[in-house]
Amino acid sequence: FRLAADQGNATAQFQLGALLRKGGDGLPQDLAESARFLRLAADQGHARGRCQLGQLYLHGIGVQQSHDEGVRYHRLAADQGWPL
């Protein structure tokens, strides 16, 4: 996923962000990098990326906790039809 994510593929960025959040497939857990890749995906309009990033902000996981940012990303995902 890393090569495609580094080349700007939003789905790969989401997948890598999700893997880094938990760790697995040979990747160590890295919450800051998880947030970075989820933000890249979210900023390209990836609905699941927006939803996941909203969760990180709401709970302060890998980012500074921000209720406002969490709600903002959840609303963006919901506007795309992603169930919350």
Side-chain angles (χ1 to χ4, degrees):
F1 293 111
R2 172 120 9 217
L3 179 61
D6 288 340
Q7 292 176 343
N9 181 293
T11 300
Q13 290 166 340
F14 167 76
Q15 293 291 339
L16 185 56
L19 280 172
L20 288 166
R21 183 175 179 186
K22 303 277 186 196
D25 285 349
L27 294 173
Q29 182 182 43
D30 187 333
L31 298 175
E33 276 292 281
S34 171
R36 185 174 80 83
F37 279 105
L38 289 173
R39 185 176 296 104
L40 290 170
D43 289 347
Q44 291 189 70
H46 193 280
R48 284 183 70 189
R50 287 175 167 177
C51 186
Q52 291 278 322
L53 186 58
Q55 286 296 105
L56 296 185
Y57 274 111
L58 287 175
H59 299 286
I61 300 170
V63 295
Q64 184 172 342
Q65 188 172 18
S66 171
H67 177 78
D68 291 342
E69 283 295 288
V71 169
R72 183 173 81 82
Y73 278 106
H74 277 169
R75 282 189 180 144
L76 289 169
D79 288 347
Q80 290 179 265
W82 190 257
L84 301 176

